[in-house]
Amino acid sequence: KCCTAAMSLSPALLRRQDDQTSRAVIEALESYAPFITLAAVETEAIMKRDEEDGVKLADGIKLAQEKKVLPVLSEPPQYQRIDVQGKPADAVAEEIITALGAAKDSGCVCIIVGLSGTGKGTTVSKLQQRIPAASTWSNGNLFRCLT
C-alpha cells in the first residue's frame, strides 16, 4: 500500500514544498512502519529542541530586561489562538488576515508562534502573497544561529 501511495506523489507536487506536499507525503506513508518510527524520533527531537530554545529565549529576555534593553512587562501580551490542526496554510493565513482587520493595510506587527514543523513558515509565505507590503523574518532561525 505504501509504495502504491508514494507513487502518486508527482514531481510537481514535491516541488511545491508546501502544506499540500506535506499532507500528501504523510498520507502516502502514514501506515508504513519505518515512516512511523522516523516520525516519532523526529517529533521527539523537535520537541527537545523547541524546549531548549524556550529556555535560551527566556534567559535572553531576562538578561535584556536586567540591562534595561527590554522593559519588564507587568502582564505578558495576549495571543490570539488559531487552531491549525488539519487546516491548509491558505485557511490559516485567511484567519490571521481577518483577525488583523484594517491593521494589515495600515501596518502592524504580527508574531506567529508555535512548535517547529507546524507550518509557520508556510503560513508566512501565504501571508506575503496576500499582503505584498509585508516584511518577514524567522526569529527561530536567527535565534539558533546566535545561540
Side-chain angles (χ1 to χ4, degrees):
K1 178 186 172 188
C2 167
C3 292
T4 305
M7 289 174 62
S8 69
L9 300 172
S10 70
L13 177 64
L14 294 174
R15 276 192 296 275
R16 288 178 62 118
Q17 294 286 307
D18 63 5
D19 56 321
Q20 292 179 17
T21 307
S22 297
R23 179 171 287 131
V25 169
I26 290 169
E27 286 174 0
L29 299 174
E30 67 187 352
S31 62
Y32 185 53
F35 176 75
I36 294 167
T37 301
L38 175 64
V41 168
E42 288 298 312
T43 297
E44 187 175 319
I46 289 169
M47 297 292 284
K48 183 176 187 247
R49 187 188 74 193
D50 281 355
E51 186 177 324
E52 291 168 355
D53 286 353
V55 169
K56 291 176 187 176
L57 182 59
D59 289 347
I61 289 170
K62 183 178 177 185
L63 178 63
Q65 289 171 331
E66 289 169 359
K67 292 184 172 206
K68 309 283 188 230
V69 174
L70 288 177
V72 177
L73 302 176
S74 58
E75 231 179 270
Q78 294 298 306
Y79 292 120
Q80 177 168 343
R81 293 187 176 272
I82 295 176
D83 181 13
V84 301
Q85 185 79 29
K87 291 181 186 173
D90 286 312
V92 175
E94 201 53 49
E95 254 185 86
I96 292 169
I97 289 170
T98 299
L100 292 174
K104 79 174 181 357
D105 299 316
S106 60
C108 65
V109 174
C110 175
I111 301 171
I112 300 174
V113 299
L115 296 174
S116 296
T118 56
K120 296 178 303 295
T122 303
T123 299
V124 166
S125 294
K126 302 294 184 177
L127 289 169
Q128 286 175 308
Q129 291 169 10
R130 289 173 172 78
I131 308 172
S135 296
T136 65
W137 71 92
S138 172
N139 215 33
N141 293 341
L142 175 64
F143 177 71
R144 276 185 215 99
C145 81
L146 296 173
T147 57

